């Protein structure tokens, strides 16, 4: 079996040999820019690891892995327009470099490319894999719409938030794992289980992302701490705090980011004081651990020898930056 | 065999029973708005007629027909953002009604839906049909990019223009016809031929569209005559005239739409005078007839009895508003 680094390496080599037409330049150049712009390749790696765990040929899983990565990058192109995001992976976003129209149309072409790649899977598995992929892709759109809806909503519940991040980020991880399992000829039950493994892991990852934004180190986060607080974002910390706090403290949570009399440091400090008062970091950490452990225990339920799931275990630990 | 009206009727009924989720409303409501907003259903009708011509079951062709219509409508949602087009089929465009972000994301969901519909074709034909659909879809994106590129180019040749409209509008007609033929179990050669029939017909239709914009009646066109001239658009009339005119006349063609001393009527009159001087309407009419006749003669080359192509002949005549 190939380990996680070997699989990542295989995938990067596959991507590197992918060719796009030269013309029209403004359609295809942004695709190459986006696909060669790095990223952790989490989804394709997971797809290939899932395939391998069930004894499938990782080589054969490369096009589907690329399809999932292409789809993910397509969502980034369009999300960056919707969010006016100028920077992506430390470089100007496609939207910032080429403008809306190019980002829209190149994104469209990337989605079509992802289906082209997907259609390279063995013919007897195509219908099943398309069904998983398409359902997942629609859910990702739903998640993005809910995320935008939430910005203008006064009140968002913790349950609604969890459903949104599940759709926006976790289902694509889960879909990737399930497609890999199908390619590895896993049973229907094992496909369902590995889908759940990736879903729990994705949720743990997203909760940790929220937590680190306020409580991590600049090193862990790769950017300045407190961005979510300064934007007044409805994160899992904010929504859990809102659901527990007194009306007085809720008003602090609601209004601090808009208070022009405060420095950025003061805003961050004030909101975190409320989070700490209600023990929110501890609460979120518990939820992260719960989901992470659940993900790992699902691996034990698969109908394959435990040693075959080792790389999926390592993948989970790496993703969460944990050692077990 | 069902005639063209019966096929259109069948298709409208199929669309009418399609259901979309209620939530998130801003994702799915624009899809319903777009799909139920009329349109001539040219592409799905052609797909079903092609299927029927080869003895296929039109009922079975409905999902693929809907996929092609869904894809076409998706391109309209995104094109309207890129072109700032406020009106579509006499109603506010999705972009004008809900804004860019909704038009981007609902459009994305529509493209995914089109693949979901496509995946309902018989499993043994799925890979082949996906290949046609995906190639076509990428070409449509290329055509849209060239169209945008041309706006800022000083010089566009007639050949480049023909290639652009082929990609932007004709290939989707051609792809629809080929998919219908595959569903009807046509031979590879017949699939290629019917693709060419639809390609020629699409080009004839687009050339006629350009011609009517300057030389039609308001009735034929459904909007005021001369819009292309007033916008200074690089149409087939303009580009053919540019390639034939003296430098002096070329300057008239280049500058008239920008001349603030002229009324709209004067601008239209002045540009048409140059077109007439070089016999452009006659030239374009010849090209339309040539392509139209070529399309019909391709039907004669198909390996099926001539009477089976009758509805495709009528389709071509209806599309061009011609009686034979």
């Amino acid at each position: 079996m190939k380990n996680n680094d070997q699989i990542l390496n295989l995938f990067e080599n596959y991507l590197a040999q992918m060719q796009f037409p030269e013309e029209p330049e403004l359609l295809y150049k942004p695709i190459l820019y986006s696909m060669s712009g790095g990223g952790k390749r989490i989804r394709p790696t997971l797809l290939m690891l899932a395939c391998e765990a069930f004894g499938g040929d990782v080589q054969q899983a490369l096009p589907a892995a690329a399809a999932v990565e292409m789809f993910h990058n397509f969502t980034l192109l369009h999300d960056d327009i919707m969010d006016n995001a100028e920077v992506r992976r430390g470089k100007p976003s496609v939207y910032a470099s080429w403008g809306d129209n190019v980002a829209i149309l190149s994104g469209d072409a990337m989605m079509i490319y992802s289906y082209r790649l997907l259609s390279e899977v063995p013919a007897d598995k195509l219908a099943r894999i398309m069904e998983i992929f398409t359902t997942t892709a629609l859910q990702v759109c739903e998640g993005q719409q809910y995320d935008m809806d939430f910005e203008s909503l006064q009140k968002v519940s913790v349950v609604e938030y969890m459903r949104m991040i599940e759709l926006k980020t976790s289902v694509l991880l889960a879909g990737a794992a399930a497609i890999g399992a199908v390619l590895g000829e896993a049973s229907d039950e094992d496909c369902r289980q590995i889908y759940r493994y990736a879903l729990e892991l994705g949720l743990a990852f997203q909760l940790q992302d929220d937590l680190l934004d306020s409580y991590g180190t600049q090193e862990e986060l790769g950017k300045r701490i407190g961005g979510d607080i300064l934007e007044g974002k409805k994160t899992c910390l904010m929504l859990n705090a809102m659901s527990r706090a007194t009306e007085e403290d809720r008003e602090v949570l609601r209004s601090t980011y808009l208070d022009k009399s405060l420095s950025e440091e003061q805003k961050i400090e004030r909101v975190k004081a409320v989070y700490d008062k209600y023990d929110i970091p501890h609460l979120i950490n518990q939820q992260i651990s719960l989901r992470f452990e659940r993900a790992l225990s699902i691996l034990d339920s698969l109908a394959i020898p435990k040693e075959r799931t080792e790389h999926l275990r390592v993948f989970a630990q790496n993703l969460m930056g944990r050692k077990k």
Side-chain angles (χ1 to χ4, degrees), chain A:
Chain A
M1 284 175 81
K2 293 193 167 50
N3 69 26
N4 303 28
D5 287 346
Q6 290 167 323
I7 278 188
L8 181 60
N9 205 21
L10 203 63
F11 181 72
E12 291 291 355
N13 288 338
Y14 180 79
L15 273 194
Q17 58 76 43
M18 266 187 79
Q19 297 205 326
F20 300 97
E22 298 269 311
E23 294 280 336
E25 193 181 317
L26 287 177
L27 185 66
Y28 290 113
K29 210 171 168 183
I31 301 181
L32 193 62
Y33 177 83
S34 163
M35 291 301 287
S36 57
K40 284 171 284 181
R41 315 298 192 194
I42 294 171
R43 296 152 196 83
T45 301
L46 178 56
L47 188 152
M48 293 168 73
L49 287 173
C51 173
E52 198 193 31
F54 293 99
D57 176 2
V58 287
Q59 207 77 35
Q60 212 188 45
L62 281 165
V68 168
E69 182 68 4
M70 183 74 84
F71 180 84
H72 172 62
N73 281 344
F74 141 73
T75 65
L76 300 182
L77 254 72
H78 282 192
D79 287 3
D80 285 347
I81 307 170
M82 298 183 227
D83 304 339
N84 291 306
E86 308 258 325
V87 177
R88 172 64 65 186
R89 295 168 182 154
K91 295 194 303 181
S93 64
V94 168
Y95 154 74
S97 299
W98 283 280
D100 313 30
N101 287 357
V102 166
I104 292 173
L105 198 61
S106 293
D108 292 344
M110 287 172 82
M111 197 208 292
I112 301 166
Y113 254 99
S114 66
Y115 274 102
R116 163 171 283 181
L117 287 160
L118 207 66
S119 68
E120 291 181 36
V121 303
D124 62 320
K125 301 191 178 77
L126 179 56
R128 174 103 189 274
I129 287 176
M130 266 190 78
E131 162 63 22
I132 299 170
F133 187 85
T134 293
T135 300
T136 303
L138 277 174
Q139 288 176 324
V140 173
C141 292
E142 291 179 1
Q144 171 67 6
Q145 185 60 53
Y146 283 125
D147 196 13
M148 292 195 294
D149 288 347
F150 288 178
E151 279 173 34
S152 53
L153 278 185
Q154 277 288 334
K155 205 174 144 57
V156 176
S157 74
V158 173
V159 171
E160 287 169 329
Y161 179 78
M162 293 305 293
R163 179 65 185 151
M164 183 276 284
I165 62 171
E166 181 176 321
L167 292 167
K168 185 169 172 170
T169 68
S170 298
V171 294
L172 189 53
L173 269 172
I179 290 170
V182 169
L183 287 169
E185 313 252 356
S187 69
D188 287 358
E189 176 58 19
D190 276 354
C191 289
R192 265 192 297 278
Q193 291 305 330
I194 204 159
Y195 183 95
R196 282 187 50 228
Y197 148 83
L199 203 66
E200 293 292 348
L201 190 60
L203 287 168
F205 179 71
Q206 188 60 45
L207 291 176
Q208 180 163 286
D209 208 48
D210 280 5
L211 186 64
L212 288 179
D213 199 275
S214 298
Y215 287 91
T217 63
Q218 189 154 339
E219 248 185 307
E220 285 172 307
L221 196 65
K223 57 183 177 185
R224 273 185 67 199
I225 296 299
D228 288 347
I229 292 176
L230 296 176
E231 283 178 47
K233 265 182 83 172
K234 299 188 185 77
T235 65
C236 68
L237 285 81
M238 175 62 83
L239 297 173
N240 273 287
M242 288 293 279
S243 76
R244 278 166 180 73
T246 60
E247 178 48 38
E248 198 181 339
D249 286 335
R250 277 210 292 270
E251 190 48 36
V252 174
L253 293 172
R254 266 195 292 263
S255 62
T256 299
Y257 81 105
L258 295 168
D259 188 339
K260 287 182 181 140
S261 72
L262 299 174
S263 72
E264 294 197 338
E265 282 64 32
Q266 286 170 320
K267 289 178 185 176
I268 294 171
E269 199 180 323
R270 185 182 283 194
V271 169
K272 281 173 75 171
V274 180
Y275 289 170
D276 291 333
K277 177 174 170 188
Y278 294 96
D279 219 11
I280 302 298
H282 177 66
L283 177 83
I284 301 298
N285 250 323
Q286 274 184 323
Q287 291 179 8
I288 294 168
S289 290
L290 191 74
R291 291 189 183 274
F292 178 70
E293 294 302 332
R294 206 186 283 159
L296 293 188
S297 74
I298 291 171
L299 291 180
D300 296 332
S301 75
L302 298 175
I304 46 175
K306 192 160 178 179
E307 64 268 21
R308 295 210 69 91
T309 64
E310 186 51 29
H311 292 166
L312 289 167
R313 221 168 286 273
V314 172
F315 173 84
Q317 285 152 7
N318 289 347
L319 183 67
M320 301 297 292
R322 293 192 176 206
K323 293 200 181 85
K324 283 261 324 173

